[in-house]
Amino acid sequence: MASSSGTSSGSSLLQNSGSEEDLQAVMDERKRKRMISNRESARRSRMRKQKHLDDLASLVTQLRSENHQILTSVNLTTQKYLAVEAENSVLRAQVSELSHRLESLNEINHFLNSTNGVFGPPGPSPTSFFEPEGSSTFFNNNPFNMAYLSQPIMASADMLQY
């Protein structure tokens, strides 16, 4: 019995070592599969990261292009604004000048209307020196004696447009 128990214990050791080797082989296989799976996962992660970086680089390029277009548009709009502002200043100066002229003309008109007959009694035309006796056509056609001069001269900004 001793021999059989020795044999059986030796064979059980061989079986145990065989199962331990099988277990070790299974563990090694799992470890190898896990390493392969981890490598594949890391590769996919790197690919996702690279795709994300490529997308970001593409977005940067697109945004820079849009930014350039916006800056160009802003510059053109600023130039147009400055041109309109300069033209507006010129027009304001013209309006001011024309308003002063109009005021002066209205003062002259008022003066002429208020001084009618001041320089002497109505009688022969002062132009009689230049016209034959009894002719008063020059006096009647004299622009200072025309009826429209008794009306104030009016102007508006609409009249100043070119």
Side-chain angles (χ1 to χ4, degrees):
M1 283 229 217
S3 67
S4 67
S5 82
T7 317
S8 70
S9 111
S11 71
S12 91
L13 283 176
L14 287 175
Q15 286 177 349
N16 282 344
S17 69
S19 66
E20 285 178 17
E21 287 174 5
D22 290 340
L23 184 61
Q24 187 66 32
V26 169
M27 297 280 279
D28 288 343
E29 183 64 24
R30 285 182 184 170
K31 193 175 189 180
R32 189 181 62 79
K33 284 183 180 179
R34 197 173 328 117
M35 281 177 51
I36 291 171
S37 175
N38 285 346
R39 284 181 186 155
E40 184 62 26
S41 177
R43 186 184 65 80
R44 285 191 308 266
S45 178
R46 284 190 303 273
M47 286 176 61
R48 278 193 309 268
K49 184 177 180 180
Q50 186 61 46
K51 183 181 182 318
H52 184 66
L53 287 174
D54 292 344
D55 291 345
L56 288 176
S58 174
L59 183 62
V60 165
T61 302
Q62 176 187 349
L63 290 175
R64 282 184 177 160
S65 174
E66 287 178 19
N67 191 29
H68 179 71
Q69 289 174 351
I70 290 170
L71 285 175
T72 301
S73 176
V74 165
N75 288 337
L76 288 174
T77 303
T78 302
Q79 287 175 355
K80 287 179 182 178
Y81 168 79
L82 292 174
V84 167
E85 189 66 29
E87 182 181 1
N88 201 10
S89 294
V90 168
L91 291 175
R92 282 189 182 124
Q94 288 176 347
V95 164
S96 177
E97 174 64 26
L98 290 174
S99 294
H100 289 303
R101 286 184 185 182
L102 180 62
E103 188 178 323
S104 296
L105 287 173
N106 281 331
E107 287 175 6
I108 292 170
N109 184 25
H110 179 71
F111 175 76
L112 290 175
N113 286 334
S114 66
T115 60
N116 249 350
V118 169
F119 297 111
S125 168
T127 62
S128 62
F129 295 110
F130 303 108
E131 295 180 0
E133 192 75 26
S135 172
S136 63
T137 58
F138 181 78
F139 183 74
N140 289 336
N141 291 330
N142 186 344
F144 292 116
N145 291 327
M146 293 189 175
Y148 68 85
L149 284 179
S150 64
Q151 301 294 322
I153 300 171
M154 303 300 285
S156 70
D158 296 335
M159 295 172 61
L160 302 176
Q161 292 180 354
Y162 298 104

